[in-house]
Amino acid sequence: MSDVLLSVQGLTRRFDVSKPWLNRVIEREDRQYLTATADVSFDIRKGETFALVGESGSGKSTIAKMIVGLLEPSAGEIRFDGKVMDFASGAAMRALRRRFQMIFQDPFASLNPRWRVGDIIAEPIHTFGLLKGAEVTREVGRLLDLVGLSAADAEKFPHEFSGGQRQRIAIARALSSRPEFIVCDEPTSALDVSVQAQILNLMRDLQDEFGLTYLLISHDLSVVRHMSTRIGVLYLGRLVEISDAKRLFIDPQHPYTRLLLDAVPDLALSGRRRTPVTGEIPNPIAPPPGCAFHPRCPHVMDICRKQRPDAIPTASGQAACHLLTPEGQKPRETTA
Amino acid sequence: MADFTPGNRPNALARAWDSDIAWSFRHSPLAVIAAFVSILIILAAVFAPWIAPHDPFNPASLDLMDGFTPPMEPNAFTGNVYWLGTDNQGRDVFSTILYGARISLFVGFMAVLFAMVLGITLGLIAGYRGGWLDSLLMRVADVQLTFPSILLALLIFGVARGFIPPAYREAMAIWVLIVAIGLSDWVQYARVVRGATMVEKNKEYVQAARVIGAHPAKILIRHILPNVMGPVLVIATIGLALAIIAEATLSFLGVGVPSTQPSLGTLIRIGQGFLFSGEWWILLFPSITLLALALSVNLLGDWLRDALNPRLR
Amino acid sequence: MAPLPNKPPLLSVRDLVVEFPTRRGTLRALDKVSFDISEGEVLGMVGESGAGKSLTGAAIIGLLEPPGRVASGEIWLRGERIDNLPREKMRRIRGRRIGMVFQDPLTSLNPLYTVAEQLIETIRTHMDVSEKEARARAVALLDRVGIPAAARRIDDYPHHFSGGMRQRVVIALALAAEPELVIADEPTTALDVSVQAQIIDVLKEICAERGASVMLITHDMGVIAETADRVAVLYAGRLAEIGPVRDVIQAAEHPYTVGLMGSIPTLTQTAERLTQIPGSMPRLNAIAQGCAFNPRCTHAFERCRAERPELIARGGDRQVACWLYDTEAQDV
C-alpha cells in the first residue's frame, strides 16, 4: 500500500494574463502573470484516494490538468510509477497514457453530443489499439453493465440520458483503457445529491474491484471526507496542509483548514455555533506577501506578513503555518 | 443500479429532436413555400435537357425568323408559339432560363462548396491552434472584409484571367468565376467556425480525447467539426443565394460566364438591351426567375437559422 | 418560529398549478402545491433540479418565463390575491412588498449604473423620500449587509465588487423598500464555501431584524438546516413533505426525504456507503401514475401506483404526502 504511484515535485504553473501587446505599450503596463499553482509537492500511493480541496482560485483543477497533460507545467516534475511524464515525447507517453484517465465535472459537456454512447466508450480502446471488431462491442457492453447501464444503451446518444447516467457513461469511458489511476475533477458537483450518492458509491465499488487509485478534486469537504484516505488543502495555489483524512477533520493544523471546516453547514443540527468566517479570497494576480492567508487569519503574527511559511511535518502529514514553527506557538483551541 | 427513466425507448429522443426541425418546418408556411419554389427551380434546372422544349445552344434548332416572338403569341412568320417568347436570335426564353438556372446554380453551389471547405479548414485550424497563426488568419480576414466582396471577386477574376492562356479562357471561365466568388466569401465561414471551435475545444469531451493522446487532426475532424456544422449550414444556405446573385452580377457586368453558355445574369444583361425597344419579356422572365430563386433560398436560410437557434423557438 | 395561530399567514399558496404548453401536450411543472409562510418565518424550499422549486418562486412574483403559466390555484399575500393582478400592479408589489435575491448577483445588478444609483432608484420608486434621505438609507443598508467603507464604495460599479460583496449588495437592494417577504433563489450556490456562510448569516439576520419573511429556495440541505424554520420538500412538481426543519431533517417521514437525507455525506457520518435512492427524478412528461415517487420507492404498494396521495396532517405542523401515513388504511 505504501508504493508511490504518482509523485508531484515543485509543480508550478503561471498563466500569462497580460493585455494584448498594443494595449500594454499604450497604457505602459508590464506583462502580468497569474500563478495558479506554486511549488506543489505530494505523493499518491497505490490504491488510495488522495483528495485536493480548495475554493475557487486555489489551483486544484490546474494541478489535475497538468497531471493528465492538458496543461504544461511552468516548473516542476510529475512522475508516474517512477517514470517522468514528458508529454512532448509521443511514443514514450503512449504506454503511460493508457494507465491514467480522467473523469470530468460536467457530464453534459464531457460526452460529444454527436457520438453514440458506444463510440464514446470505445474511443480509448481504439486509440490505444486494445481490441478489434466484435470484441470492442462486447467490451463496451461489459463496461456499460459494470457502471449500471445496459449494453443496449450503446446505440443511444448522450442527450437521451440524465445527468447521473451520463456520468456513468463518462466513468465507463475512463475505465475502457483499463487504467490504474483516475483523476476525478469535481465528479459530482454538477449532480443532485441523491444522484451524487449513486456516483460516489459506484466509484468506491470500482476502486475495490479494480484496485484503482484516485486523485479527487473537490470543493465539498463532506464528499472528500467520505471518499478519501489522504487530503491536501490548497489556498491560492499553495498546499497549506496535507493530512490523513480522519485526522484532518478531528485536528486540523492550519487555520485555513479550520475555517473551511467551520464553513460547512451543520446538517446534524447540533447547535454548534460556527466561528464567523471573515473576508474573501484575494486576487490571485497579486496575492498577499508572506503567508497568503494572513489577511483572513485569526492568529496572524508579524512574521506571517513577511515570510512565507515552509511545510512542517505534523503528526499526520504536513502543514505550512508559522504557528507550528518554534517562532510561533500553537494556540490551544478549546472549541472543536 | 441503472437510473430509472420511464418510457425511454431507443432513439426516442433522437427522433424527437429530428422532428423538432420537421415540426418547425411544417408550421412555417413561408419556409414551405420557399422550399417548394427552390426545389422546383433546382429540379427544373437539373432536368433542363429533358424539360426544355428547345436546345438553345444548338444552332441547328434555331430559326432566326422566330426572333422576337412575344409570349403566348404565334410568330408572325412561322406561326410557332412560345410560352415566354423568344429573344433576338429566336431562342426560346423558357429554355434559356432553364439552362441559365442550371449554370447559375452550378456556379452557386460550387462557389459555396469552395468557400465552405476553405473557410471551415482555416477556421478550425485558427480556432484550435490559436496564437500567431490565428492572429495572422484573422487579420487577413479583416482586411478582406474591408473590400466589397463583388469588387474582390472582380479583382480575382481579372488577375486569374491574366494567368490563363487565351486558348483556355473560354473553357476555364466558369471555374475562374467559381474560385473568384468562393475566395471572396470564405471569411464568414472561417469566422463562425473559428468562434465555435474556440468554444468547443475547451469543452470536456475534447479534453477527454486529449487526455488519451488523440491526434489533433482526429480531434478536429471527428470531435469538433460535427459540433460546429449547425451555423455553417445556415451560412451556406444564405451564402448560396448570395453566390447566385454574385454570379448574376458578374455576368451582368460581362465578366462572368461566356455568352455561349448564358447564366441567368447573362440573360438579364442581354435582355436589358431590348427593354426600351418593347421586347420586355426577354428581360422580365429571367429576372423573375433569379429573384424567385435567390429569395426562396434566402428565406430557407432564415428559417433554418431560427429553427436551429433554441432561444428563438 | 412557529406560525402564529390567530393571524392569517403572510403568504398563502393554494393548489398552485404551473403548466408549460408544448406541442406534445401540456407539461405540469407544479401540480397542486399548497403552503403558507407566516410573519417573520423562514421557509426553506428544497428539491433536486427540475423539482420545481425555482418555478414556485417565479410564480409567486409573477415572473414565469413564457410559455409557462399559472394554470390554476391561488396566491394570497396578506389576505390579498396576487396571482391574477394586472402586470403594472404586480410590478409594484415586486420590490416593494416582495424582494428578490437570485443565484447570480450579476443578473440582479445593472452593470451600467453605480450601486448608489440602483439603490436610490429602488428606494425612491417605492417610498416617498428625498434623494438625500434615500442616499443615507442606502449607505446604512450597505453598512448593515457588511460592506466595508459603505459611504465610499456606494459609488462604485457592480464589477468593482467581489462575488460575495456583490451578493451583499443584492441583498441590500432586495431589502431597500422594506418588503414583507424576500424570495431568495439559490443565493449562495455561485459562491465559495467560506463566503456562503457569511451571506446566509447576513440574509438571515437582516430579515429577522426587519421582520421580513423569507422563502429560501436551495438544493443545499445544509443551508436549510442552518437557516430555515420550516422546510418544504418538492419532488417532481409536488410537495412531498412540509414541516419544522428539525423534524424533517432528523426524522423525515416521506420515503423520498428519508432517501435524500441519507444520500448526503456529512462531516460526522461514518458509514462506508451512502444510502442511495435508485434512479433519478422523472422528466415532466414521464411522471408516474399515482404517487410520483412510486417507481423509486422501496415501500410502494398497490395504492401508490393508482392514487395520488394528498398532504396528510401528521400533527406538530407536519404534513406528508404518502399513503404510508394514511390513518384510514392501516393495513400497511
Side-chain angles (χ1 to χ4, degrees):
Chain A
M1 278 296 278
S2 64
D3 314 343
V4 171
L5 181 64
L6 186 98
S7 168
V8 165
Q9 282 304 319
L11 201 58
T12 302
R13 171 72 202 200
R14 275 183 301 275
F15 289 102
D16 187 347
V17 291
S18 316
K19 289 177 181 167
W21 171 79
L22 197 62
N23 296 47
R24 283 205 312 276
V25 172
I26 293 170
E27 294 165 28
R28 291 167 187 278
E29 275 183 20
D30 287 332
R31 279 185 169 273
Q32 278 195 317
Y33 293 96
L34 184 156
T35 306
T37 305
D39 196 18
V40 168
S41 306
F42 58 85
D43 290 341
I44 301 178
R45 301 173 199 137
K46 270 186 186 134
E48 79 168 346
T49 301
F50 185 85
L52 284 175
V53 281
E55 302 178 273
S56 59
S58 67
K60 54 190 191 301
S61 283
T62 307
I63 295 175
K65 284 184 177 163
M66 285 191 281
I67 289 175
V68 296
L70 288 173
L71 271 178
E72 221 177 299
S74 306
E77 189 180 79
I78 305 162
R79 280 171 179 272
F80 185 83
D81 204 9
K83 299 176 201 66
V84 176
M85 297 235 242
D86 176 15
F87 288 95
S89 74
M93 267 315 288
R94 224 175 114 82
L96 274 187
R97 272 188 200 273
R98 190 201 58 77
R99 299 172 62 190
F100 59 83
Q101 273 284 5
M102 185 157 180
I103 300 170
F104 296 89
Q105 171 175 1
D106 181 0
F108 290 86
S110 67
L111 308 178
N112 190 335
R114 308 270 166 187
W115 284 30
R116 286 181 197 276
V117 166
D119 296 329
I120 291 172
I121 295 175
E123 193 187 15
I125 302 177
H126 290 305
T127 306
F128 295 115
L130 300 177
L131 297 169
K132 286 214 163 59
E135 283 179 320
V136 178
T137 321
R138 213 174 310 132
E139 176 68 4
V140 167
R142 191 187 69 86
L143 288 163
L144 279 168
D145 199 47
L146 196 65
V147 297
L149 298 168
S150 79
D153 289 332
E155 289 302 308
K156 297 185 194 167
F157 285 95
H159 68 250
E160 298 176 50
F161 297 89
S162 67
Q165 289 171 322
R166 285 171 184 231
Q167 201 59 301
R168 289 172 192 271
I169 295 167
I171 291 173
R173 168 178 60 192
L175 291 174
S176 71
S177 63
R178 311 207 167 197
E180 296 145 56
F181 175 62
I182 301 183
V183 175
C184 314
D185 188 2
E186 303 264 12
T188 60
S189 64
L191 305 174
D192 281 315
V193 273
S194 74
V195 179
Q196 165 174 288
Q198 297 171 8
I199 298 298
L200 293 180
N201 284 340
L202 175 66
M203 283 171 57
R204 286 189 81 141
D205 292 346
L206 294 170
Q207 182 169 39
D208 291 346
E209 195 171 338
F210 301 107
L212 295 169
T213 307
Y214 288 139
L215 169 62
L216 175 66
I217 309 288
S218 181
H219 68 279
D220 187 332
L221 279 167
S222 317
V223 167
V224 162
R225 179 180 179 278
H226 181 72
M227 293 294 289
S228 46
T229 40
R230 283 193 311 137
I231 298 170
V233 182
L234 286 160
Y235 187 74
L236 278 180
R238 289 176 188 276
L239 267 175
V240 295
E241 181 164 359
I242 298 179
S243 169
D244 283 346
K246 288 202 182 82
R247 296 295 301 170
L248 187 86
F249 290 89
I250 301 165
D251 186 21
Q253 297 296 306
H254 196 283
Y256 176 64
T257 313
R258 218 168 298 150
L259 176 150
L260 268 186
L261 290 178
D262 266 350
V264 176
D266 179 16
L267 199 58
L269 293 162
S270 58
R272 165 177 66 110
R273 187 62 210 149
R274 300 194 280 177
T275 326
V277 175
T278 53
E280 289 184 40
I281 299 160
N283 183 354
I285 293 176
C291 172
F293 186 60
H294 85 254
R296 300 174 75 187
C297 184
H299 311 293
V300 60
M301 301 174 291
D302 258 350
I303 186 169
C304 306
R305 298 189 183 91
K306 292 172 200 139
Q307 193 186 324
R308 183 179 302 134
D310 290 323
I312 293 155
T314 61
S316 56
Q318 63 175 66
C321 178
H322 286 302
L323 289 172
L324 304 172
T325 60
E327 291 93 355
Q329 70 287 12
K330 194 186 170 199
R332 290 266 56 96
E333 295 284 309
T334 43
T335 52
Chain B
M1 185 81 62
D3 289 12
F4 181 84
T5 318
N8 196 353
R9 295 176 310 281
N11 284 330
L13 273 150
R15 282 202 302 270
W17 190 87
D18 288 340
S19 63
D20 260 355
I21 291 281
W23 184 86
S24 151
F25 181 73
R26 284 196 303 276
H27 285 74
S28 167
L30 211 57
V32 175
I33 295 170
F36 179 76
V37 173
S38 319
I39 291 170
L40 193 74
I41 296 175
I42 291 171
L43 284 180
V46 169
F47 295 105
W50 292 274
I51 297 172
H54 305 271
D55 181 354
F57 304 119
N58 182 1
S61 77
L62 295 180
D63 185 350
L64 274 178
M65 298 299 278
D66 272 335
F68 296 129
T69 312
M72 303 305 286
E73 275 176 44
N75 183 276
F77 307 99
T78 60
N80 292 334
V81 177
Y82 299 92
W83 290 356
L84 304 181
T86 61
D87 66 3
N88 56 332
Q89 296 176 53
R91 289 188 295 202
D92 173 29
V93 170
F94 179 63
S95 300
T96 56
I97 287 175
L98 289 185
Y99 279 89
R102 201 176 154 92
I103 288 162
S104 288
L105 277 166
F106 176 75
V107 172
F109 272 116
M110 292 307 282
V112 164
L113 194 69
F114 181 75
M116 216 163 96
V117 170
L118 186 67
I120 289 175
T121 310
L122 294 179
L124 279 175
I125 293 170
Y128 192 73
R129 273 288 306 276
W132 64 268
L133 188 66
D134 176 38
S135 302
L136 180 75
L137 285 171
M138 286 304 116
R139 288 305 82 77
V140 170
D142 285 344
V143 170
Q144 178 162 343
L145 276 185
T146 59
F147 296 102
S149 58
I150 198 76
L151 211 64
L152 206 71
L154 267 173
L155 183 76
I156 299 167
F157 191 82
V159 171
R161 277 181 78 95
F163 284 104
I164 296 171
Y168 298 103
R169 266 186 205 159
E170 194 89 321
M172 294 290 284
I174 200 159
W175 296 103
V176 173
L177 190 65
I178 287 167
V179 170
I181 296 174
L183 269 183
S184 71
D185 210 28
W186 67 276
V187 172
Q188 43 176 333
Y189 296 93
R191 286 197 155 187
V192 165
V193 169
R194 169 184 174 264
T197 303
M198 286 167 72
V199 172
E200 294 297 322
K201 79 168 176 188
N202 289 320
K203 289 207 178 149
E204 291 172 348
Y205 71 88
V206 174
Q207 296 186 359
R210 286 177 56 203
V211 168
I212 58 170
H215 193 273
K218 197 184 160 198
I219 292 178
L220 277 177
I221 293 166
R222 294 215 52 211
H223 279 288
I224 295 180
L225 182 61
N227 284 295
V228 301
M229 280 310 282
V232 168
L233 283 181
V234 175
I235 303 179
T237 315
I238 296 172
L240 176 63
L242 293 176
I244 290 169
I245 291 172
E247 182 278 325
T249 311
L250 290 175
S251 296
F252 183 82
L253 294 174
V255 294
V257 291
S259 46
T260 49
Q261 279 181 299
S263 69
L264 288 176
T266 323
L267 292 180
I268 292 169
R269 178 175 51 120
I270 297 167
Q272 183 216 206
F274 303 105
L275 184 59
F276 294 104
S277 53
E279 289 85 18
W280 48 269
W281 59 90
I282 306 175
L283 172 66
L284 185 70
F285 294 116
S287 306
I288 289 177
T289 312
L290 178 69
L291 184 75
L293 180 62
L295 186 66
S296 57
V297 171
N298 213 338
L299 285 173
L300 264 186
D302 278 349
W303 163 78
L304 192 64
R305 185 188 54 210
D306 294 351
L308 289 178
N309 184 349
R311 264 195 262 154
L312 283 174
R313 217 181 271 151
Chain C
M1 190 186 292
L4 306 169
N6 302 328
K7 273 186 155 178
L10 173 71
L11 182 86
S12 182
V13 175
R14 288 282 152 263
D15 291 329
L16 182 66
V17 176
V18 169
E19 290 182 342
F20 284 82
T22 72
R23 62 189 175 84
R24 288 196 187 78
T26 303
L27 298 178
R28 277 207 167 184
L30 284 182
D31 198 349
K32 296 200 176 165
V33 170
S34 301
F35 60 90
D36 293 338
I37 300 180
S38 319
E39 300 265 356
E41 183 186 45
V42 179
L43 176 77
M45 184 70 75
V46 283
E48 301 180 86
S49 45
K53 50 191 192 305
S54 291
L55 276 181
T56 313
I60 292 170
I61 55 180
L63 285 180
L64 277 178
E65 292 234 1
R69 59 189 168 86
V70 174
S72 66
E74 294 167 7
I75 303 168
W76 300 77
L77 181 66
R78 217 189 280 280
E80 182 195 352
R81 194 160 166 196
I82 60 165
D83 58 294
N84 52 5
L85 288 181
R87 198 174 296 186
E88 193 47 44
K89 271 197 165 163
M90 196 60 218
R91 186 150 54 207
R92 244 170 287 154
I93 286 186
R94 276 199 301 268
R96 177 71 188 91
R97 298 184 61 190
I98 304 179
M100 290 162 289
V101 179
F102 294 113
Q103 172 174 345
D104 181 4
L106 278 180
T107 58
S108 325
L109 295 170
N110 188 331
L112 300 177
Y113 293 96
T114 64
V115 165
E117 285 166 329
Q118 299 184 50
L119 272 170
I120 292 169
E121 202 211 314
T122 307
I123 293 172
R124 296 200 65 194
T125 310
H126 297 296
M127 301 168 115
D128 187 24
V129 290
S130 71
E131 171 94 26
K132 213 176 147 193
E133 212 171 317
R135 192 182 166 88
R137 265 172 186 272
V139 171
L141 255 174
L142 286 185
D143 191 49
R144 180 61 198 85
V145 295
I147 296 204
R152 186 167 50 81
R153 298 223 57 193
I154 191 169
D155 290 311
D156 284 349
Y157 286 89
H159 68 262
H160 291 133
F161 292 85
S162 67
M165 286 297 155
R166 240 180 252 144
Q167 197 60 300
R168 287 171 197 263
V169 172
V170 173
I171 291 174
L173 200 60
L175 284 147
E178 304 194 340
E180 299 144 71
L181 174 68
V182 173
I183 296 181
D185 190 352
E186 303 274 8
T188 59
T189 307
L191 304 174
D192 275 316
V193 201
S194 67
V195 182
Q196 280 183 6
Q198 304 171 28
I199 296 300
I200 283 293
D201 284 349
V202 163
L203 182 69
K204 197 177 162 181
E205 280 170 28
I206 192 169
C207 288
E209 231 170 71
R210 278 146 214 257
S213 303
V214 181
M215 179 171 154
L216 178 65
I217 299 165
T218 178
H219 68 281
D220 189 337
M221 263 294 184
V223 169
I224 296 274
E226 295 224 320
T227 318
D229 300 310
R230 281 193 311 140
V231 57
V233 182
L234 276 172
Y235 183 80
R238 304 169 185 189
L239 269 185
E241 179 162 8
I242 182 167
V245 76
R246 184 169 288 270
D247 295 353
V248 173
I249 284 180
Q250 292 185 335
E253 294 195 321
H254 196 287
Y256 171 64
T257 324
V258 175
L260 192 63
M261 296 307 305
S263 64
I264 304 172
T266 66
L267 291 189
T268 45
Q269 57 122 32
T270 46
E272 273 294 294
R273 284 179 69 86
L274 299 163
T275 322
Q276 60 179 51
I277 313 175
S280 54
M281 199 158 62
R283 293 184 173 149
L284 287 179
N285 57 8
I287 295 176
Q289 270 253 302
C291 173
F293 188 60
N294 85 64
R296 303 172 68 189
C297 184
T298 44
H299 305 286
F301 55 103
E302 211 55 53
R303 194 173 184 190
C304 307
R305 287 181 267 272
E307 218 179 318
R308 178 183 162 184
E310 298 297 324
L311 283 173
I312 298 163
R314 295 283 296 152
D317 198 28
R318 298 187 71 173
Q319 288 176 299
V320 184
C322 176
W323 288 127
L324 290 173
Y325 300 95
D326 188 17
T327 41
E328 283 140 49
Q330 281 295 2
D331 54 334
V332 189

